[in-house]
Amino acid sequence: MHRLFRYVTVTVLLVLIQIFLNGYLLVAGAVMLGILIAVIFPGQNNFLFHVLVIELLIGICWAIFAVENTAQLDNLAVNTGQTTLGWIVSIILVNTITIFLCLATPVFFATRMRKDYKETAERKKNINLIN
Amino acid sequence: MRRFAAPLVLLFITATWVVITSWHYRGLNSVQQLAAYNKGILSKKNLPRNRQLSVPGAPGEANISIDTLGIPHIFGKDEAGLAFATGYMHARDRYFQMELLAYTVMGRLSEIIGKDGIYSDQNWKRFDLEEKAKIIMDSLAISEPGLYHYLQAYQDGVNSYLNNEEEKFRDPMYLVWNYSPRPWKSYYSFLIQWYMSFELTFYDDYINRQEILDKLPPSIRDLVYPDHKDNQPMIIPSTEQHQKPADQPFTRQVKIFQPGQPNAYNARPTNPDLGSNNWVIGKDHTADAGSILCNDLHLFLTTPNIFYEMQLKGPGIHVYGYSIPGVPVILTGHNENIAWGITNGGWDVTEQYLLKTDPSNNNRYYLDGRWQTMTTKHFVLDVKGAGKIDYPVKYTVFGPVVQTTNITYALHWHPAQWSAGLQSFWKLMKARDWNEFRQALRNYDYPSQNFAFTDTKGNIGMICAGKMPVKPVGYNGGLLDGTQSPDWKYCSFDSLPQSYNPARNYLFSANQQPVANGYYSSRWFSDLYRPKRIDTLLSQARKFQASDMQQMQLDITDLSVRDLQLLIKKHSDKNRLSANWRSMLEWDGKLVAQQREAVFYKTFRYAAGESSKEIAAMLGVQAPPSFDQFIHLLLTHDSVVYNGKVIVIKDIFQKLVTRCDSLYQMNIDNPSLNVQAYAFSIPQMTFLPTLDIQVDDIGGSDNTINVNYGAHSVVRTVIETGKDGIHSWMVNAIGQTGRLNEKGYSQQLSAWKRNALHKTQFVGRPEELKAVSTTIIFKK
């Protein structure tokens, strides 16, 4: 499948789960997306790195979206002795880490299982050859 | 399996992260929910500004102009519109606070904050105040129909706001505590009155007092725990005639403690610094031949502050001042004719009755010569995250039963019987002169308050108002006999301490004893220095202006320093004193935050507290003498002989000096402690960590006019009356709104620190207002 199409697909799905889901649903959505990536794009270990970048970009987009809300974040910062940037970065990090971990776990498992399956099949093939 | 080690580790990390970030710690929302882009903190919006809103469906017509400090100026065409608009604004700015207070008093706090609310709920449930509030509300329909309809319209205004509020504009505290606002009910206003009564009147040290009465002979008691306030300035000037209320017939004394018997009672902690200052000066003391009334209210300061500034103008009413969200009346402020300010009376309105229980059946108690059965009521606490808990409470004719390890008593908290405070403030807002002012307070009950008064004609007055229980002859603060049926009586209004246009032409109260007539009204008039300081300043032969009064509210001179100077002279050799102690002798007692003398004195006060505890331990009792009793003992005696032991006062003082030096040195050696006199932090009202606001460089102590210790001047007012009407200046310690994401949350903090009061906009028409940011119009 064309690489650009893959990224567009993953990005759209990431945006959707972040718009419509939160809490446990967000976790479940990210896991499902991880399984989807593992199934549709097998053997793409480095793909997760790109997902992480996409995820961070989405987070930053949310932060920019929140700029119209800067006043409330500035007030939160003043009233809590924190900084506006601190609030934004904290929120982006929580979401990014959650989605990335939930997404990466099934992909890692699928990659290892696939590798395991391939090696087992290779061994069987070699045994057959020796015999 | 080894090849799956890495994914398994990742799985573990993921699971741990998900569990931690999804955890609802102590009833709070999870980090996941708070951080969610679409419904979390980021999705919240500020309330709309610089616009006109139109709200249909109101029971009356009104419009609100909100100025840039967030203060609503409400102009109603009728009382229903006025009440509706007030409810709308209270809900808009403070609904989380209103709801939290009402649920606290109903004993339902754990529904909001989970298990941490159980202790509070158990305390409140036993008074069953939700049911009593409903009864009071129903009774108003007949006794005060005007107020009844006013509270109904207020309820409608609150709920109108809640029903029309979009989620993005909802107070973020609801998100943090993971619940949604529930509808307001008109009778909740009485619950909030009770909350204030509890804060200001509920004491729980009767068993500790009984221990002193039982164990110490009167000679020792008078030495260490003296009642020596007769030479202090009283609220009512000594030149005024005052009638002594009648005493109850003598009730049998009780005795609990034998010599040497330990006292394990864990009294509910109370904040001795809650109180307030008010003073009013007449024509003789003002530069403009009018009168000036000042008020600053001392409470434990949280964000949001409990007071809310507003102006109400409608048919027959035009009033400005501070209300409490949930209670739609002005508690301190002025109308077009009179001004008033309040301080806590601090009267003893709690009674603990020692019960004699049946050893074979602890549901029975001995009363009037026979065994009676206690009634039991089962309450249900619906604890967030923990389900429902049964909470049985036993009752006697006195009230709910409290069982400790070896003492069983019944609790009678007089304010829990009824609530008439709101009704009085309702009338007070419309009063036009001293007679109507008195009439409004005639049925006032709790919390007992000292009401300062002035009017546009320059008259001044003071009424120590409340429903004061008549105490038995000879009562001195312990438990009462629970084997005889109670016969509660109250002092008549006319017998309460009050003064009108006294010869000296000024009046003040600072939570001191109201009058020296030998009548027992309380044991907690312990701050002798603040009243004396106010009296000293007001009695100067000079003419004051409003700006002088603002300066006086900032006064941080602690007169207790003079007693320390006397102590040093009495017990120390001047030539052998260290530099710090020598500096005390020359110091003026101004508690400037960073000043070395002030920090040293603060250390001395702490060390004195520790020495007081040691004296109590030597006497074998739990309650230490108060600071003024401790100082009095050290100043007036050289030794105390008790049980054959001699307590040498000079030794106590020398030990205190050593302790103070050592503590001070420890503070100096550790600059990171940043010890000041006085710095503090203001916690958020649900005590959420990281939301505290730190306040430095403020100075003062618990004995200064500008009180800064366990309590702070949460609002300050200065009101000037004269030929051209009434002018006022006010400041709130924090801000108008309780919304953490609004500018108004802490907008006035800086001004409050400097006591830069803003001039209020007391105007007759909305067109006269300046700096209006938002207008809301209510239509039928």
Side-chain angles (χ1 to χ4, degrees):
Chain A
M1 207 179 288
H2 194 277
R3 175 172 287 192
L4 180 64
F5 179 71
R6 292 177 191 171
Y7 286 121
V8 170
T9 309
V10 171
T11 306
V12 169
L13 290 170
L14 278 171
V15 169
L16 287 176
I17 66 170
Q18 288 179 63
I19 289 177
F20 294 109
L21 307 178
N22 57 55
Y24 287 115
L25 286 177
L26 176 78
V27 170
V31 170
M32 298 286 280
L33 183 56
I35 294 168
L36 198 68
I37 290 170
V39 172
I40 300 176
F41 316 114
Q44 298 288 335
N45 268 333
N46 62 345
F47 191 78
L48 282 174
F49 171 76
H50 299 296
V51 168
L52 177 62
V53 173
I54 295 168
E55 168 59 22
L56 278 170
L57 287 173
I58 293 169
I60 290 163
C61 288
W62 275 103
I64 293 167
F65 175 67
V67 161
E68 69 161 288
N69 225 354
T70 310
Q72 83 121 0
L73 287 174
D74 287 347
N75 293 335
L76 272 176
V78 169
N79 293 332
T80 58
Q82 316 293 322
T83 62
T84 307
L85 189 63
W87 272 95
I88 291 175
V89 169
S90 307
I91 289 168
I92 290 175
L93 276 182
V94 169
N95 286 294
T96 306
I97 293 171
T98 305
I99 291 171
F100 184 72
L101 285 175
C102 294
L103 195 140
T105 307
V107 172
F108 259 56
F109 265 104
T111 309
R112 285 298 159 99
M113 283 171 74
R114 184 180 169 77
K115 200 174 169 188
D116 202 36
Y117 171 78
K118 269 187 177 174
E119 286 178 4
T120 310
E122 190 69 23
R123 270 205 305 278
K124 275 187 181 171
K125 195 176 157 189
N126 290 341
I127 292 166
N128 287 340
L129 283 175
I130 293 163
N131 288 339
Chain B
M1 196 64 196
R2 279 174 60 194
R3 75 172 65 243
F4 282 100
L8 283 171
V9 169
L10 184 65
L11 179 64
F12 176 75
I13 293 170
T14 306
T16 308
W17 173 264
V18 168
V19 168
I20 290 173
T21 56
S22 305
W23 188 25
H24 290 262
Y25 176 70
R26 289 175 175 247
L28 290 164
N29 213 338
S30 67
V31 173
Q32 288 284 345
Q33 299 280 7
L34 292 170
Y37 290 129
N38 56 340
K39 286 190 173 172
I41 290 286
L42 212 58
S43 70
K44 293 291 167 194
K45 300 255 185 282
N46 282 131
L47 292 170
R49 296 216 179 282
N50 303 318
R51 55 183 285 195
Q52 276 203 350
L53 291 176
S54 188
V55 179
E61 293 193 12
N63 68 62
I64 307 174
S65 300
I66 304 167
D67 67 23
T68 47
L69 283 174
I71 299 159
H73 304 269
I74 302 174
F75 299 85
K77 287 189 178 166
D78 45 44
E79 281 190 352
L82 213 55
F84 188 88
T86 304
Y88 191 92
M89 283 309 297
H90 277 173
R92 177 184 180 269
D93 287 339
R94 302 280 189 95
Y95 195 67
F96 180 80
Q97 181 183 35
M98 290 162 64
E99 196 178 20
L100 197 77
L101 295 181
Y103 272 67
T104 298
V105 178
M106 284 189 281
R108 295 172 62 184
L109 183 62
S110 52
E111 290 178 29
I112 298 172
I113 69 165
K115 285 180 183 171
D116 288 344
I118 292 176
Y119 176 71
S120 165
D121 287 349
Q122 288 176 336
N123 170 56
W124 283 105
K125 272 286 185 205
R126 57 189 174 169
F127 298 121
D128 207 5
L129 296 175
E130 185 177 1
E131 288 307 311
K132 285 176 187 162
K134 286 179 192 169
I135 294 168
I136 295 170
M137 188 66 200
D138 289 344
S139 76
L140 280 187
I142 297 160
S143 63
E144 290 271 3
L147 179 56
Y148 178 83
H149 293 301
Y150 191 79
L151 291 176
Q152 291 286 3
Y154 176 77
Q155 166 196 277
D156 295 343
V158 172
N159 292 330
S160 167
Y161 178 79
L162 297 178
N163 294 335
N164 294 308
E165 184 186 49
E166 290 178 62
E167 188 147 345
K168 65 187 176 188
F169 294 126
R170 186 172 291 168
D171 188 333
M173 273 301 131
Y174 283 100
L175 180 69
V176 172
W177 282 104
N178 192 26
Y179 81 107
S180 300
R182 282 167 264 193
W184 181 259
K185 292 173 183 167
S186 52
Y187 62 83
Y188 284 4
S189 298
F190 299 104
L191 301 174
I192 293 178
Q193 279 282 119
W194 272 313
Y195 176 84
M196 291 310 295
S197 289
F198 192 83
E199 283 286 290
L200 296 170
T201 72
F202 191 85
Y203 296 93
D204 188 30
D205 60 348
Y206 296 86
I207 289 180
N208 293 342
R209 175 67 181 172
Q210 189 65 46
E211 185 189 24
I212 291 169
L213 297 174
D214 289 351
K215 289 184 179 174
L216 303 181
S219 57
I220 298 295
R221 228 160 49 209
D222 293 344
L223 279 182
V224 185
Y225 300 91
D227 182 19
H228 59 101
K229 300 177 181 72
D230 286 353
N231 297 325
Q232 305 300 321
M234 303 285 155
I235 295 176
I236 305 303
S238 54
T239 50
E240 302 277 293
Q241 292 294 317
H242 189 263
Q243 180 188 345
K244 180 184 172 184
D247 283 323
Q248 287 265 52
F250 184 77
T251 304
R252 224 170 44 192
Q253 291 272 23
V254 300
K255 188 172 174 74
I256 298 175
F257 293 94
Q258 302 302 323
Q261 183 183 341
N263 171 16
Y265 187 68
N266 191 14
R268 187 185 179 87
T270 48
N271 186 343
D273 296 337
L274 300 181
S276 302
N277 299 320
N278 64 17
W279 60 82
V280 56
I281 55 175
K283 297 170 192 170
D284 300 350
H285 295 277
T286 57
D288 302 328
S291 60
I292 303 176
L293 185 146
C294 302
N295 193 194
D296 52 285
L297 301 164
H298 307 162
L299 294 173
F300 182 71
L301 187 54
T302 59
T303 52
N305 187 351
I306 200 158
F307 289 102
Y308 185 84
E309 186 175 338
M310 60 198 299
Q311 174 169 214
L312 300 173
K313 169 94 169 76
I317 187 168
H318 187 194
V319 62
Y320 195 108
Y322 286 103
S323 65
I324 290 179
V327 187
V329 290
I330 297 298
L331 302 172
T332 175
H334 62 88
N335 58 29
E336 290 174 356
N337 301 297
I338 69 162
W340 66 95
I342 50 176
T343 66
N344 189 26
W347 299 351
D348 187 350
V349 294
T350 309
E351 283 157 9
Q352 294 183 354
Y353 289 86
L354 185 67
L355 297 179
K356 182 179 171 186
T357 51
D358 185 349
S360 62
N361 180 355
N362 65 3
N363 279 330
R364 299 206 311 166
Y365 66 108
Y366 196 75
L367 184 76
D368 298 334
R370 64 190 181 93
W371 292 105
Q372 313 255 11
T373 306
M374 298 171 188
T375 53
T376 302
K377 187 166 182 179
H378 288 266
F379 295 99
V380 175
L381 306 182
D382 190 0
V383 183
K384 186 180 180 182
K388 293 186 174 170
I389 296 173
D390 178 46
Y391 176 53
V393 180
K394 291 179 188 173
Y395 291 92
T396 63
V397 292
F398 305 100
V401 176
V402 179
Q403 277 172 311
T404 68
T405 318
N406 52 4
I407 301 166
T408 303
Y409 67 85
L411 178 64
H412 188 80
W413 183 46
H414 284 270
Q417 313 313 311
W418 196 253
S419 180
L422 197 152
Q423 296 86 315
S424 289
F425 282 110
W426 164 251
K427 290 175 186 159
L428 201 57
M429 293 199 298
K430 301 174 181 176
R432 288 167 297 183
D433 55 29
W434 172 250
N435 285 334
E436 289 184 8
F437 179 75
R438 283 189 85 236
Q439 206 54 35
L441 294 177
R442 186 161 281 279
N443 294 316
Y444 178 81
D445 54 8
Y446 304 108
S448 56
Q449 297 285 297
N450 308 309
F451 285 81
F453 164 92
T454 189
D455 62 18
T456 45
K457 291 175 184 149
N459 298 306
I460 63 168
M462 180 80 76
I463 300 179
C464 305
K467 203 171 170 188
M468 187 190 282
V470 176
K471 296 289 183 181
V473 180
Y475 177 73
N476 50 14
L479 276 75
L480 291 165
D481 178 24
T483 63
Q484 295 169 354
S485 283
D487 180 20
W488 291 301
K489 291 192 175 80
Y490 300 91
C491 302
S492 69
F493 176 75
D494 293 321
S495 72
L496 295 175
Q498 43 200 295
S499 174
Y500 184 61
N501 286 335
R504 71 183 190 191
N505 209 220
Y506 71 87
L507 288 161
F508 70 95
S509 74
N511 318 112
Q512 79 271 39
Q513 192 165 320
V515 67
N517 62 359
Y519 182 75
Y520 172 89
S521 56
S522 178
R523 289 185 284 121
W524 300 284
F525 304 128
S526 66
D527 185 352
L528 308 182
Y529 304 104
R530 192 159 45 96
K532 206 181 277 181
R533 178 66 179 163
I534 295 173
D535 195 26
T536 307
L537 294 174
L538 291 182
S539 59
Q540 298 171 78
R542 59 170 290 201
K543 305 276 189 183
F544 293 103
Q545 292 183 328
S547 55
D548 300 320
M549 298 288 96
Q550 293 190 31
Q551 278 306 309
M552 189 170 149
Q553 288 178 325
L554 274 187
D555 185 82
I556 48 171
T557 298
D558 189 338
L559 291 187
S560 67
V561 171
R562 292 185 190 169
D563 280 347
L564 172 62
Q565 290 166 343
L566 294 174
L567 269 184
I568 297 171
K569 285 173 189 165
K570 182 180 177 196
H571 293 292
S572 302
D573 178 354
K574 199 177 174 186
N575 298 323
R576 296 174 63 188
L577 285 172
S578 67
N580 285 329
W581 289 97
R582 275 203 306 277
S583 71
M584 287 291 102
L585 287 173
E586 289 143 21
W587 185 40
D588 60 4
K590 272 191 184 160
L591 282 153
V592 180
Q594 304 282 2
Q595 195 183 43
R596 186 173 62 90
E597 288 87 349
V599 177
F600 186 76
Y601 184 69
K602 188 185 171 193
T603 316
F604 160 75
R605 289 294 295 261
Y606 178 81
E610 295 301 303
S611 297
S612 292
K613 287 180 197 163
E614 282 178 0
I615 290 177
M618 286 180 209
L619 299 174
V621 295
Q622 196 189 98
S626 63
F627 177 74
D628 67 281
Q629 287 170 332
F630 174 75
I631 294 292
H632 185 260
L633 172 68
L634 266 60
L635 276 176
T636 54
H637 294 85
D638 294 321
S639 63
V640 178
V641 182
Y642 174 61
N643 270 357
K645 284 188 290 187
V646 180
I647 302 171
V648 181
I649 298 298
K650 191 163 189 168
D651 292 349
I652 290 174
F653 184 72
Q654 288 307 329
K655 200 171 172 187
L656 169 60
V657 167
T658 311
R659 175 182 278 132
C660 183
D661 285 338
S662 153
L663 278 170
Y664 183 72
Q665 197 54 46
M666 198 172 74
N667 290 334
I668 296 297
D669 292 344
N670 190 352
S672 67
L673 291 175
N674 188 27
V675 177
Q676 296 181 19
Y678 181 79
F680 67 103
S681 60
I682 308 170
Q684 193 273 337
M685 69 176 298
T686 56
F687 296 93
L688 286 172
T690 77
L691 297 188
D692 291 9
I693 296 176
Q694 184 65 30
V695 182
D696 290 321
D697 298 324
I698 198 151
S701 72
D702 48 348
N703 297 128
T704 52
I705 294 174
N706 184 9
V707 161
N708 285 299
Y709 199 66
H712 306 276
S713 302
V714 294
V715 294
R716 297 193 190 101
T717 68
V718 173
I719 305 166
E720 190 177 54
T721 74
K723 288 170 193 158
D724 58 341
I726 291 194
H727 301 278
S728 59
W729 296 262
M730 299 184 183
V731 74
N732 183 322
I734 313 289
Q736 272 288 96
T737 179
R739 292 166 176 265
L740 192 61
N741 58 345
E742 292 283 342
K743 187 181 171 191
Y745 184 78
S746 60
Q747 193 180 10
Q748 296 185 46
L749 180 61
S750 168
W752 173 77
K753 282 175 71 175
R754 295 175 281 119
N755 206 29
L757 284 73
H758 56 264
K759 174 97 167 64
T760 63
Q761 300 195 68
F762 186 58
V763 296
R765 291 179 301 122
E767 296 77 31
E768 296 171 50
L769 291 165
K770 291 172 188 158
V772 171
S773 69
T774 306
T775 306
I776 306 175
I777 297 164
F778 297 94
K779 290 179 179 162
K780 278 187 182 175

